[in-house]
Amino acid sequence: MKQTKVSAASAAPRRSAAMLPALNFFLADVRDGLGPFLGVFLMGQGWQADDIGYVMTIGGIAGMLATTPLGALIDASRCKRMLLALGSVLVIAGTLALFISSSFAVTAASQIGTGIVGAIIGPAIAGITLGIVGQQRLPYQLGINEAWNHGGNLVSAALAGVLGYYWGLPAVFILMSLMALGSLVCIARIHPADIDHDVARGLEPGKVKELPGAVRATDTSALAVLAGSRPLQLLALTMLLFHLGNAAMLPLLGQSVVAQGLADPSLFTALTIIVAQLVMIPVALVAGRWAMRYGYWMLVMLALLVLPVRGLLAAYWNSVWALIPVQILDGVGAGLLGVALPGLVALILRGSGLINTGLGAVSTIQGIGAALSPAMAGVIAHRYGYGSAFMALGGAACLGVGLWYCFADTIRHEGRSNSLAVDTTMPPSAGRERGSG
């Protein structure tokens, strides 16, 4: 009888863990709102490239400012499922507002709301995942999560392209709503008791790690968390440079092709996503297995290296066929970082109780780059042409490569010291105290 109860108890977390891939699949089309379809949609409404860049930057800044407090909220909350569900609903509501009106005021308000609410989805998924599977299986599960997330992007982009081709871009709005409903079903099927909220924030019984700089679990400001960890500072600055070069690359590629009348807007935008997502799926799976054995440093370096090559190809190959190599490289970079970023933050801040706060802090810093990227690219494209804009975006990534290489030991030393702790901790299923949300 005891053995039966133990087996049933251990099976419950596995059932909730089995819903994580499906949850990531459906949230793929929700967390970024219209994503690359936004620029194409607004161009169809008569917007100019620089105005599109400005409104996307406004939304990016709003999301950037919200990331750290929302990460701290995820650390403190025992209702992570409810927050994730609320975020999904509100992201869709903000995006659907664009269907009613595409004025600058409505579009800016929609992007601000989407940025703020969308900022909670990443930390919420990371916290729920860590709380269910624990630190030891986190790299492996992150690879699976990312693969299914990219699979969701692939399917939704393919459907959006087909539906948009026959019925126009408004069909994309309907598709997003259906994907949001799917995510709500997955959230409902994750049992609240299967989430260990202490493990979800990085705490381990009897092993509370005090970071340099007197950072405590009660201190949730971005500056305090970053000041307490040099590896986290390096990671945040590197991600800022990466996203300064990366965030505008795909929307700008779509705008460049559409502006020259080389392809159908809906179909081309969907194809840019499909090519990248097809590559991201196997890359994410390989990255998760690589991180389990060798760590995360090389994954970040490879992601940085492919971005300048993307910029060169986009700048000098003025053809629809440039889509294939440019987006293959995008798939490599995004697939690697989707696993490496949350995994590195969890590793660096393990035992601090600040993992989701730290993830929010890094996301805030990288959000500066992501927010400035569309505005920078839009202004350069408007004044000097799309080729110059692509070169500028690739140049930002080159700075990130130099930074990551020069301070490699900062991350490697942190990874080695924490990897030893991984080998000696109890299995994540042992001694859990379950929460309520």
Side-chain angles (χ1 to χ4, degrees), residues 302-328:
L302 291 175
L304 289 166
L305 287 171
V306 300
L307 190 51
V309 181
R310 284 182 69 208
L312 285 171
L313 288 171
Y316 289 104
W317 192 359
N318 188 25
S319 166
V320 174
W321 294 104
L323 159 74
I324 296 176
V326 168
Q327 289 308 98
I328 286 175

Side-chain angles (χ1 to χ4, degrees), residues 75-389:
D75 275 333
S77 174
R78 307 183 77 83
C79 299
K80 296 177 177 62
R81 294 162 60 254
M82 183 189 71
L83 291 172
L84 186 57
L86 181 62
S88 299
V89 172
L90 292 180
V91 165
I92 293 299
T95 304
L96 289 177
L98 293 176
F99 189 71
I100 301 173
S101 172
S102 60
S103 68
F104 188 89
V106 172
T107 304
S110 170
Q111 292 310 293
I112 290 172
T114 299
I116 292 174
V117 180
I120 205 170
I121 293 179
I125 292 177
I128 291 172
T129 300
L130 183 56
I132 292 175
V133 305
Q135 281 275 3
Q136 287 180 318
R137 286 186 54 82
L138 182 62
Y140 178 77
Q141 187 64 48
L142 286 174
I144 295 176
N145 284 0
E146 280 301 301
W148 279 76
N149 178 266
H150 300 315
N153 276 319
L154 174 63
V155 171
S156 62
L159 289 174
V162 173
L163 295 175
Y165 182 77
Y166 286 104
W167 292 289
L169 281 174
V172 177
F173 293 90
I174 299 174
L175 178 63
M176 284 184 59
S177 301
L178 294 175
M179 295 289 280
L181 290 176
S183 71
L184 294 177
V185 172
C186 295
I187 293 170
R189 298 195 64 178
I190 294 176
H191 200 281
D194 292 338
I195 305 172
D196 187 325
H197 293 282
D198 289 332
V199 174
R201 63 185 300 181
L203 289 174
E204 299 173 70
K207 292 187 178 181
V208 178
K209 173 185 175 183
E210 293 297 347
L211 298 175
V215 178
R216 302 291 186 268
T218 56
D219 198 339
T220 58
S221 72
L223 290 177
V225 174
L226 288 169
S229 174
R230 190 179 178 191
L232 205 65
Q233 297 167 17
L234 171 62
L235 179 62
L237 186 55
T238 303
M239 290 299 99
L240 182 150
L241 293 170
F242 177 86
H243 284 278
L244 179 62
N246 184 71
M249 190 79 73
L250 176 55
L252 198 68
L253 180 63
Q255 292 172 40
S256 173
V257 171
V258 171
Q260 299 175 74
L262 299 178
D264 175 78
S266 298
L267 189 58
F268 180 82
T269 305
L271 287 174
T272 62
I273 302 172
I274 290 170
V275 172
Q277 300 301 326
L278 279 172
V279 178
M280 291 178 197
I281 294 171
V283 168
L285 292 172
V286 171
R289 287 164 174 77
W290 173 278
M292 287 284 288
R293 298 186 62 183
Y294 305 110
Y296 299 102
W297 183 87
M298 183 56 70
L299 301 181
V300 177
M301 176 56 83
L302 291 175
L304 289 166
L305 287 171
V306 300
L307 190 51
V309 181
R310 284 182 69 208
L312 285 171
L313 288 171
Y316 289 104
W317 192 359
N318 188 25
S319 166
V320 174
W321 294 104
L323 159 74
I324 296 176
V326 168
Q327 289 308 98
I328 286 175
L329 293 175
D330 181 38
V332 172
L336 295 174
L337 282 185
V339 174
L341 178 59
L344 264 173
V345 173
L347 189 65
I348 292 169
L349 296 180
R350 181 174 184 179
S352 68
L354 295 167
I355 284 180
N356 295 295
T357 305
L359 184 58
V362 173
S363 298
T364 297
I365 301 301
Q366 78 175 23
I368 296 174
L372 292 177
S373 182
M376 179 184 77
V379 169
I380 295 174
H382 185 67
R383 296 184 179 181
Y384 305 106
Y386 285 99
S388 298

Side-chain angles (χ1 to χ4, degrees), residues 3-22:
Q3 186 175 0
T4 302
K5 289 182 178 180
V6 171
S7 299
S10 62
R14 286 199 296 270
R15 286 196 295 268
S16 290
M19 295 308 302
L20 291 174

